[in-house]
Amino acid sequence: MDAVSKQTAAKIEKLAEAVMRTVKGGNNPFVEIPIRSLANVRWSEKKRLVELGNQRQKRYFFNVSMAKKFMQTFLVSDACKELVESGKTTSIRDLYYVTKHTIGDTKQNTFEEQDESDPIIEDLEVALDSLREELHLFASRKGSMVGPITIRDSGDTIDLRRMGSGGWAVPSIVEENIIQFVRHEAKYILLIEKDAVWTRFNEDKFWKRERCIILQGGGQPPRGVRRLVQRLHSELKLPVYVLVDNDPWGFYIYSVMKQGSINLAYESMRMAVPDARFVGLSSFDKQKYKLPDNVAIKMDDGDNARAKQMLAYPWFKHAKWQREIAEMVSSGMKYELEALSRRGISFITEEYLPKKLKDRDWLE
């Protein structure tokens, strides 16, 4: 086992040993788990991250309402320890089937549906302070990457300068023991919201001209993409720019990349990039880049409610962000990145983004 796997296995063993000591002491065995709820999430001004608070709960074995979850916690723990020690990985869907069985002579199953096992995995993550990926669990891969960088993926050396039109498919598990950065000439990282826009940047060889790494996560970036961006930023000291639609969803994608998400607040330190910069599409770009009225999309009630909600977020309290969001609300319009194509199919790669970067026209 590598060092990360040994550490993860040791954490699982420590969790089990603590329970055994309680049993031997004649007490009700329990496992202590940080509470994953909105009430236990806080904004750290100092770290500029959404993070989990200090509230914890004890899950007891001799408790009618807790016994099943107690059992499920250690079923999942045991399965993950076996994966870690064998050097194998599996999907969270597969783990559900691995741990699902009938208990003794009863008709009671350990798990009925996957929506029972998924929260247990998250409980185990926070209890062990380990990423799901360190437990050797992965989700469906989603995301593409190209750029002037050579990596090593599970022992295979891959040149991301030679990945054709599709790019390198970013895996779910991108930890140091799986993915290593060999060499690079990149000046920055560009995270693009949509596959179609990323394809334009790749086809136009923007990454080669600008010496940057371009990634996309197909909307809200999955954990693998977010973790990889965070690693590229922290280990290679590369600035991160986020290119998203001018709508509440695009702003939210940027927010999650920068501050972390409320649902995964316990992983913000390993997923978020507080120094990430927003490079568009801005609420003021319609006038600046002379976009015609017919490329605008009317905001619906859900969009307006979400935008107004964002005005209250502490990380959007800066005057520039208040002005940005207020402009969107007052105009009642939103714009997709593809709207820039009205100025020319390669306008976004040849004029729009180069000008934004040159003029330092971004939000933080």
Side-chain angles (χ1 to χ4, degrees):
M1 285 193 293
D2 56 63
V4 174
S5 296
K6 286 180 181 177
Q7 187 179 43
T8 304
K11 287 180 179 180
I12 297 174
E13 289 173 2
K14 186 178 179 180
L15 187 71
E17 288 167 357
V19 170
M20 290 306 298
R21 283 196 299 272
T22 305
V23 172
K24 289 177 181 178
N27 298 311
N28 188 359
F30 67 89
V31 57
E32 194 170 53
I33 299 171
I35 296 173
R36 294 182 295 103
S37 70
L38 182 60
N40 195 34
V41 171
R42 64 190 180 195
W43 162 247
S44 171
E45 190 72 41
K46 182 179 180 180
K47 297 176 184 176
R48 295 180 294 156
L49 292 171
V50 176
E51 61 181 9
L52 204 61
N54 298 320
Q55 297 178 40
R56 306 172 76 86
Q57 65 177 1
K58 291 182 178 180
R59 185 170 291 167
Y60 288 94
F61 178 63
F62 292 113
N63 183 299
V64 174
S65 64
M66 300 180 182
K68 186 175 182 179
K69 281 193 174 183
F70 181 95
M71 172 269 295
Q72 291 170 335
T73 303
F74 284 96
L75 268 179
V76 171
S77 300
D78 183 61
C80 289
K81 185 170 183 290
E82 187 176 335
L83 284 170
V84 171
E85 291 179 338
S86 66
K88 296 181 179 181
T89 63
T90 195
S91 68
I92 56 176
R93 179 66 174 173
D94 200 29
L95 185 80
Y96 158 64
Y97 282 110
V98 167
T99 55
K100 179 178 181 176
H101 58 261
T102 304
I103 302 173
D105 296 326
T106 72
K107 293 183 179 180
Q108 181 73 41
N109 291 321
T110 51
F111 293 100
E112 297 299 335
E113 301 292 342
Q114 189 181 337
D115 59 9
E116 274 189 277
S117 61
D118 285 358
I120 297 297
I121 294 170
E122 293 174 358
D123 286 343
L124 196 58
E125 282 185 280
V126 294
L128 299 176
D129 189 26
S130 293
L131 288 167
R132 178 178 70 194
E133 292 75 13
E134 291 173 333
L135 298 171
H136 286 217
L137 300 174
F138 62 82
S140 299
R141 64 179 59 208
K142 180 183 172 187
S144 305
M145 173 174 159
V146 294
I149 184 170
T150 300
I151 65 170
R152 190 169 291 113
D153 180 353
S154 302
D156 296 327
T157 300
I158 302 173
D159 185 351
L160 269 65
R161 305 164 191 83
R162 300 175 177 272
M163 298 308 298
S165 61
W168 174 64
V170 180
S172 174
I173 302 178
V174 295
E175 296 310 302
E176 294 92 332
N177 57 327
I178 303 295
I179 305 295
Q180 297 92 40
F181 309 132
V182 180
R183 63 180 181 276
H184 78 95
E185 306 88 46
K187 295 189 295 183
Y188 62 86
I189 302 156
L190 178 64
L191 178 68
I192 303 168
E193 176 181 351
K194 297 175 174 179
D195 174 62
V197 179
W198 178 91
T199 298
R200 169 53 48 214
F201 275 79
N202 188 27
E203 186 176 295
D204 290 355
K205 292 293 186 284
F206 179 90
W207 60 268
K208 190 173 185 179
R209 187 170 70 245
E210 292 285 327
R211 284 173 52 197
C212 67
I213 295 167
I214 61 172
L215 295 99
Q216 65 85 16
Q220 181 63 263
R223 290 170 53 134
V225 170
R226 290 167 55 191
R227 175 62 173 153
L228 186 62
V229 169
Q230 196 274 343
R231 283 195 59 207
L232 287 165
H233 170 72
S234 61
E235 295 173 31
L236 303 184
K237 310 304 178 188
L238 296 175
V240 174
Y241 298 94
V242 182
L243 183 65
V244 292
D245 287 341
N246 175 241
D247 63 17
W249 179 245
F251 288 3
Y252 178 70
I253 289 172
Y254 169 72
S255 169
V256 167
M257 277 305 309
K258 187 175 178 71
Q259 277 84 31
S261 70
I262 292 172
N263 290 340
L264 290 175
Y266 56 93
E267 298 294 11
S268 291
M269 289 295 293
R270 290 176 281 198
M271 294 281 186
V273 180
D275 291 322
R277 295 160 174 165
F278 175 91
V279 289
L281 198 63
S282 166
S283 300
F284 298 95
D285 283 344
K286 178 187 183 297
Q287 293 79 21
K288 190 179 295 184
Y289 295 95
K290 298 178 174 62
L291 298 179
D293 292 339
N294 59 14
V295 299
I297 301 171
K298 189 175 181 179
M299 299 253 287
D300 60 27
D301 291 342
D303 290 328
N304 282 306
R306 185 73 171 132
K308 290 173 182 176
Q309 190 179 47
M310 286 180 170
L311 285 168
Y313 286 176
W315 49 93
F316 281 143
K317 282 296 185 183
H318 192 282
K320 288 184 178 179
W321 268 112
Q322 290 286 302
R323 181 169 169 262
E324 180 74 27
I325 299 171
E327 173 66 17
M328 176 188 289
V329 173
S330 65
S331 73
M333 296 295 176
K334 58 185 181 180
Y335 298 85
E336 294 184 309
L337 287 166
E338 290 89 337
L340 292 166
S341 295
R342 281 296 301 273
R343 294 290 310 277
I345 195 69
S346 293
F347 178 78
I348 190 171
T349 62
E350 294 176 356
E351 296 185 54
Y352 176 81
L353 192 58
K355 179 174 173 54
K356 284 251 178 179
L357 296 176
K358 181 183 178 182
D359 296 345
R360 300 177 66 85
D361 183 17
W362 57 66
L363 288 170
E364 295 187 79

